Every structure is written in structure tokens, then in C-alpha cells.
Amino acid sequence: MINLNRASRHALYEQLYLQIKNDITAGMIAPDSRLPATRTLADELGISRNTVTAAYYQLELEGYLHAIKGSGFYVNSLLNLDLIKNTSLENPSFPPVHEDNDPKKCKYDFQYGNIDGDIFPTNPWRKCIISSFDSIADQTYLSYTDKQGEFRLRTAISNYLYQTRGVRCTPKQILITSGHQHSLQLLTKLLPKEEYSVSLEEPGYDGTRAIFEMNKYDMNTVHLEDDGISIDDIFRLKNTLLYVTPSHQFPTGCVCSISKRLEILNWASKHNSYIIEDDYDSELRYHMLPVPSLQSLDQSERTIYLGTFSKSLSPDLRIAYVVLPELVLKNYNETFKLINCTVPKHLQIALAEFFENGSYERHINMLKTHYKKKYDLICSCIKKTFGKKAAIQGSSAGLHLLLSINSPYRQHQIIKRALDCDVQVYPTDIYWKNKKDCPQNQILLGFSSIHIHDIATAIERLHQAVYK
């Protein structure tokens, strides 16, 4: 029996549709049964014929009914009716929404990767966003953006990279991507596992390792020395993609020496290999000039250069880029003929203008001043509070440092004790493929999002957690 509630917030045709559907799936209306004519049912229920017709058409669209011209609507024979769950408009069968069960946020959080919201360039960025929409509105027609990204943005990036990192490329060599891991996913299609293995720094960024493992590459590890990766290790390799962070190794912070850089380039040219240079935070150096990129030294076009705006602007902007050598670019143009750029056009136009009007350069200068104060303060507080009981590992750059603590507690014990003091610090064993090689008294401290006024108290509490 059909009951319609005219006081319901749901339309009458929705109620009718759902009740007939539930009767069909419950077996109360047998297959091949003819439903009442639309006019007849409308008269019985005191509703318009259009309401009944709309409900029948929806059921026909979903495959519950079929219409026979001149005869009416009939119920289809459905297999596996037990798999279909009856629903109601008031209690639809949507997945339940669970409350956020994440652990309580610590007051003092040394998380790496998040950015202090107070330093985002809100006003100049807002102006660029508004201008980008004006630019789109002025177009004669709307279209897909270039598959490699907006040429205007690629030109701005090309000019900036040459001036600040010595990277030599044209706009046509640049691909705009939706973040670092999207950049790596593209490379897995251009340099497939059937032709290349992958070689990663040990320790190294776990997000990179995850992408290549997911794509089932044969994986090698190359251990680190004080001045970068082991040359002896790489000269045993060929036909490989060597992923490196030479200007500020993640997570150790060491810098690859010029002699090793030249040897790496020589090895790649002779062993049918490519270098994937991740220059993730190269702009953020505090007590010395930026180190030239590997790509700027490469005469054989064996270096693929990766960059991102996650550290300099915001991680949720989701804009990164890849600079491809000419040979790999040719492969890209053949492989990705019908693939569109995934970064929204207005964000690309806004970022291009942000470069062009000088806002990006001013923002970077401000960032370096801001983060230098934080870096110097955290180092000072550690030395004052821990003395010789802790050693800082890093190179006056980036947004994190490693701290080795002279303590009987192991890494995860230190983290747990710190949590009890309302301080969140982070493990480093996730960056090691061979976790037994990870120093067990080492933790990672990110300082990009913690407030500068909280640093001294947070370090004092960390000391209490370890020694009291």
C-alpha cells in the first residue's frame, strides 16, 4: 500500500518512486507484473498524473521497469535481489559519517610540512586570484588549458629557475603538476619499470619510495656519506632512475659536494640512467648562498628536475612542476597526447601573476627572514637546554632538523614520553628502508608551523620528557 506524506520535505514523486522500488526489491511486486496506469494511480492517490509518470520514468531509468508502448509499465526480472538494500528518504543508505577519532592535538607540535598560516601572503594572493578570474571572464570563449600547463606560468617558472637555481630550460620543457607525487607518477609512465630500476637515498623521503613501490619498480638503496650519496654505490648501477635531494638531503640535511655532483652526472651519461633531482626547499637557506642545482651542471641532459610550491606557498595549493630533458619531453608528447593538465586554470594564472608582479620574490625573502629566526631560536634553545646531551643534524636550511639525544630511551619511547608532556615530535625510521640502520635515539623536529613564541617552552618540555 502506498502512503504519501504531503507534509514531507521530499517531493511526492520521490516518495512514490522509493516506495515502488522497495516493493519490487522486497519481492512484493512480482517480475513481469504490470503497474497501474499512470492516470489510474494518480486518481487513486489524489496526485497529478505527471507525478506518477516522473516516478515511473525514474524506475525505468534505473532498470526496475520497462515500458511497452500502448500497454504500460512492467517490472523487470531482477537477479540477486538480496544484494539490494531497501532505503527510505528519511534514512537513506548513505555510508555513516564517523566522528573524527584522531588523537588530541598537542599544544606544541613539531610537525614537518605544515606551514604557519600567519605568513601566507593573503592580500597579494587574493589580488592575483581576483585578477585571474577577471582574465578568464574576458576571454571570448572558455577552453581547456594546455596539457603541460599555462604557458604564462611555465615562462615565469623558467625565468625564475634560471635566475635563482641556474636551471637551463625553456617553457616547453616544463610540466605543471598537482604535487610532488603526481610528478613522480608521470615519470613512471615515461620511464617504465620494464626499462629502468629505481635507486633511492638511504635514508630518504618515504613518499617517493611509496610511489615507486606502488608501481612495482625494482628498488635499490644508495647509502649516504657526509657529503652526499656514495659514488661507489652508484657506479655499480646502470639503467636506473637515481632519485636524489642533493642541495638539502632529506631528512639528514647534508649537501652533495661539487666533486660528487660531477661524478654523478658522469655516471648517468655513461650508464643509460637518469637523475631525478628533487629541489624541494632550495630557496630556504639561512646562513649561506643557495647551492647550484645538479641540472645547471648537466651537459648530457640526464637530469629531470622537480620543484614544488608546497614549502614556499602552501601544501594545499597542490602545484608543482617537472623540467624534462628533450629526449624525455619527446616521449611525453607521444605518450600524453590526450591528457589534460590537472591544475585549475585560475590558480595557474594567479601564480603566474604572483611571479610577474614581484610578489613571489618578496614573499621568499620574507620567508627566509622568518624561518631563519625560528631555526636560530630552536638551535639556541636546544643547546641551552640539552647542552652536550643532544646533537643537531642539518645544514642551516629547510624547515626541519634532526635531533640525536643521549638517552637510554629509544626513538618511539622518546616520542611517547614527549606526548605525555604535550609535545609532538616525530620518528625518523620511516625514512629508512632498512629500519635497523636508523639511529634509535634520533627524532625529527619540523619548525614551519609551530609558533615562534612556543619554541622555548616546547624544548624545555621535551627535555623534561627525556630526563625526568
Side-chain angles (χ1 to χ4, degrees), residues 15-160:
Q15 299 178 51
L16 179 60
Y17 145 79
L18 192 60
Q19 290 187 43
I20 295 174
K21 186 184 85 166
N22 285 342
D23 285 348
I24 292 172
T25 58
M28 297 174 65
I29 303 178
D32 300 321
S33 296
R34 180 179 180 274
L35 293 189
T38 55
R39 190 183 303 278
T40 302
L41 186 58
D43 290 343
E44 288 179 6
L45 298 175
I47 58 178
S48 76
R49 184 183 179 191
N50 287 341
T51 299
V52 178
T53 301
Y56 281 11
Y57 279 162
Q58 182 64 35
L59 290 164
E60 182 185 27
L61 178 67
E62 295 183 19
Y64 292 96
L65 306 179
H66 66 275
I68 298 178
K69 190 174 182 179
S71 179
F73 288 88
Y74 291 80
V75 176
N76 286 328
S77 179
L78 301 176
L79 300 176
N80 300 320
L81 281 176
D82 56 321
L83 298 179
I84 302 176
K85 185 177 181 181
N86 279 8
T87 58
S88 72
L89 289 170
E90 302 305 326
N91 298 289
S93 59
F94 299 138
V97 177
H98 299 288
E99 292 185 7
D100 186 1
N101 291 320
D102 287 343
K104 173 180 171 288
K105 291 288 185 182
C106 286
K107 182 175 181 180
Y108 306 103
D109 192 347
F110 286 101
Q111 184 171 12
Y112 172 75
N114 288 349
I115 303 296
D116 184 349
D118 292 340
I119 62 170
F120 185 79
T122 303
N123 289 332
W125 181 251
R126 181 187 292 116
K127 290 178 182 177
C128 291
I129 286 289
I130 293 172
S131 178
S132 72
F133 282 117
D134 290 341
S135 175
I136 292 172
D138 288 342
Q139 294 178 357
T140 304
Y141 58 89
L142 302 179
S143 63
Y144 291 102
T145 190
D146 188 290
K147 66 177 181 178
Q148 291 182 225
E150 285 293 301
F151 186 80
R152 182 180 170 190
L153 176 57
R154 291 187 281 129
T155 300
I157 292 173
S158 175
N159 293 336
Y160 181 80

Side-chain angles (χ1 to χ4, degrees), residues 137-207:
D138 288 342
Q139 294 178 357
T140 304
Y141 58 89
L142 302 179
S143 63
Y144 291 102
T145 190
D146 188 290
K147 66 177 181 178
Q148 291 182 225
E150 285 293 301
F151 186 80
R152 182 180 170 190
L153 176 57
R154 291 187 281 129
T155 300
I157 292 173
S158 175
N159 293 336
Y160 181 80
L161 289 178
Y162 180 72
Q163 294 167 8
T164 61
R165 306 295 297 126
V167 171
R168 294 166 297 164
C169 67
T170 64
K172 75 173 186 176
Q173 291 176 260
I174 296 176
L175 314 179
I176 305 300
T177 69
S178 299
H180 171 75
Q181 292 187 316
H182 180 217
S183 299
L184 294 176
Q185 284 283 19
L186 288 176
L187 294 181
T188 65
K189 309 307 177 189
L190 300 175
L191 303 163
K193 65 180 184 295
E194 291 80 11
E195 299 177 26
Y196 297 93
S197 64
V198 167
S199 301
L200 303 177
E201 300 164 318
E202 175 79 338
Y205 178 44
D206 56 330

Side-chain angles (χ1 to χ4, degrees), residues 244-255:
V244 290
T245 51
S247 297
H248 184 224
Q249 202 280 330
F250 187 85
T252 67
C254 71
V255 177

